[in-house]
Amino acid sequence: MSKVNVYVGSYAESNESGVEVFTLDEQTGQLTKTDEYIGLINPTFLNVDIENKQLYASSVLVNADGTKSGEISRFSIDTDAGTLSLVEQKATDTGTTCHVQRDQNDQYLTVTSYGGGMIGLVSLNEDGSLGKVLDVVQHSATTADPDRQDQPQPHPHSSFYSPDGHYLYVQDLGLDAIVCYKVDEANGKFIKLNVTKLAAGAGPRHLTFHPTAPYAYVINELNSTVTAFKYEAEKGQLNEIQTITTLPADFNGESYCAEVIISTDGKFVYGSNRGHDSIVAYEVNEVDGTLTTIQHISTAGGHPRHFALTPSGEYLLVANRDGNNIVSLRRNTSSGLLENIGVEVHSTKPVCVIPV
């Protein structure tokens, strides 16, 4: 088996372990800590370029006047030793960042500012080093629907590129909308193409595309649902085909969603519930892309903000922020069902877990 390293981001102060590295034993699911970096404030989302052995972390920069803005930290990673070293840092925009994404051609990073209501485009040099901040787009209430009377506040939470790399989709939780952009490579600018509106109060947060079929799935934080879309590649449009709850019918408490992923074979979709503190598993209908719930399983820790499948698909690793733990759930790759095997490791306020 190839070695699997697991990179973890967290809510951390500058004197705490912000980015950690673990090695996964694929026989037992056990994680062993091999390195950490202390010095970043809230490196809450990571992006790993395994081919070029780089890691990018979104974090908070405290300015000389006490104000806060976003920054990207670039690390070099040694995959054999399971270590990482800080190489450089760059301020990104005027709002603190919550998400960082890299395009398929390693030309850009896109950074998302929930509090600032904006997205930024950062160029990458050929060696993976951080280039210029090329563009920053401020979302506003009119980005989604100028006729909305309540004038919601923009809160973009993530950005994801389409599988063909032609489009960038920004999930704006505050506007109940997914905004589609194209990157004008000649001028280094975002070009807005269309807006997909969701139900009022849905709160779209993260998105995942089907690996082979023209479908996409967004998890809605506020109303605890997943919405399935047909992806129209010609125009970059998303057309809703289904919205399904993430919670069991007998749950009456308060809960909010966080992450959504799809298995590499495209047969199963998973989402996380914070409050119910569970992972919901769905089976994908290969004919029409709709979802059927097949399982709810406890994450064995509070506030599962992020989770990921290992490259083999045999484990699902959950970062429980309030449980201060990362839990290994064994996965049946045929049925898609998850099993708690009683394996976990301590991590302080983990909110992002990337196994590669």
Side-chain angles (χ1 to χ4, degrees):
M1 290 186 180
S2 59
K3 183 177 181 180
V4 177
N5 289 323
V6 180
Y7 301 90
V8 177
S10 67
Y11 275 116
E13 296 301 323
S14 59
N15 62 344
E16 296 177 317
S17 176
V19 180
E20 299 173 301
V21 187
F22 295 86
T23 297
L24 173 70
D25 183 332
E26 291 192 278
Q27 296 294 326
T28 64
Q30 187 63 54
L31 294 166
T32 301
K33 190 171 179 177
T34 57
D35 202 7
E36 64 182 0
Y37 181 82
I38 298 172
L40 298 182
I41 299 174
N42 292 352
T44 55
F45 209 86
L46 311 177
N47 184 277
V48 179
D49 179 355
I50 193 65
E51 183 177 345
N52 296 304
K53 297 187 177 181
Q54 313 262 11
L55 180 148
Y56 304 94
S58 63
S59 55
V60 175
L61 174 64
V62 180
N63 302 302
D65 61 0
T67 60
K68 296 179 180 180
S69 59
E71 71 174 355
I72 294 293
S73 299
R74 179 171 70 98
F75 293 82
S76 64
I77 56 177
D78 185 327
T79 54
D80 292 328
T83 58
L84 76 172
S85 303
L86 180 66
V87 178
E88 62 172 332
Q89 295 174 292
K90 179 179 284 291
T92 56
D93 54 50
T94 57
T96 55
T97 52
C98 64
H99 190 267
V100 57
Q101 179 73 7
R102 179 170 41 89
D103 76 307
Q104 288 94 323
N105 297 320
D106 299 330
Q107 292 180 285
Y108 308 106
L109 292 178
T110 54
V111 292
T112 308
S113 174
Y114 179 90
M118 62 187 73
I119 58 167
L121 184 68
V122 181
S123 66
L124 290 175
N125 300 316
E126 286 189 13
D127 62 356
S129 59
L130 301 169
K132 298 178 180 179
V133 178
L134 301 174
D135 196 16
V136 176
V137 173
Q138 177 73 53
H139 280 196
S140 67
T142 57
T143 302
D145 187 345
D147 298 324
R148 288 277 290 270
Q149 293 181 350
D150 54 353
Q151 291 297 295
Q153 295 298 310
H155 289 303
H157 214 299
S158 64
S159 66
F160 292 94
Y161 286 91
S162 58
D164 52 23
H166 293 164
Y167 310 105
L168 178 73
Y169 293 88
V170 178
Q171 289 56 245
D172 197 309
L173 181 148
L175 302 181
D176 292 325
I178 302 171
V179 186
C180 175
Y181 293 93
K182 196 173 184 69
V183 176
D184 178 353
E185 295 186 6
N187 298 299
K189 299 291 182 183
F190 289 119
I191 300 173
K192 187 175 125 183
L193 297 181
N194 61 67
V195 176
T196 301
K197 300 172 187 176
L198 288 98
R205 180 183 172 101
H206 280 197
L207 179 80
T208 188
F209 279 91
H210 194 285
T212 56
Y215 304 119
Y217 303 90
V218 68
I219 196 159
N220 300 304
E221 176 176 336
L222 302 182
N223 70 359
S224 297
T225 62
V226 169
T227 300
F229 297 96
K230 181 75 177 291
Y231 168 56
E232 304 290 349
E234 259 189 48
K235 297 182 180 179
Q237 291 181 331
L238 298 175
N239 299 316
E240 182 177 342
I241 55 179
Q242 179 198 27
T243 293
I244 186 170
T245 183
T246 63
L247 295 168
D250 59 354
F251 179 75
N252 296 314
E254 188 175 85
S255 191
Y256 301 96
C257 292
E259 180 63 298
V260 61
I261 62 172
I262 191 167
S263 57
T264 56
D265 59 10
K267 294 182 178 181
F268 304 99
V269 167
Y270 301 89
S272 62
N273 294 301
R274 298 172 295 170
H276 187 248
D277 294 336
S278 65
I279 299 295
V280 58
Y282 305 100
E283 186 172 10
V284 178
N285 184 313
E286 296 182 5
V287 176
D288 60 12
T290 57
L291 304 176
T292 300
T293 305
I294 58 173
Q295 185 185 28
H296 290 91
I297 184 171
S298 170
T299 59
H303 203 94
R305 182 181 169 103
H306 191 259
F307 64 92
L309 288 173
T310 57
S312 68
E314 294 180 2
Y315 291 96
L316 186 146
L317 307 178
V318 188
N320 290 304
R321 187 197 69 182
D322 294 351
N324 293 310
N325 63 350
I326 301 168
V327 175
S328 298
L329 300 177
R330 181 165 292 163
R331 176 175 173 267
N332 184 313
T333 56
S334 297
S335 69
L337 297 177
L338 303 169
E339 175 191 4
N340 188 335
I341 54 174
V343 175
E344 64 178 69
V345 68
H346 174 81
S347 179
T348 303
K349 292 179 286 187
V351 291
C352 183
V353 54
I354 308 289
V356 294

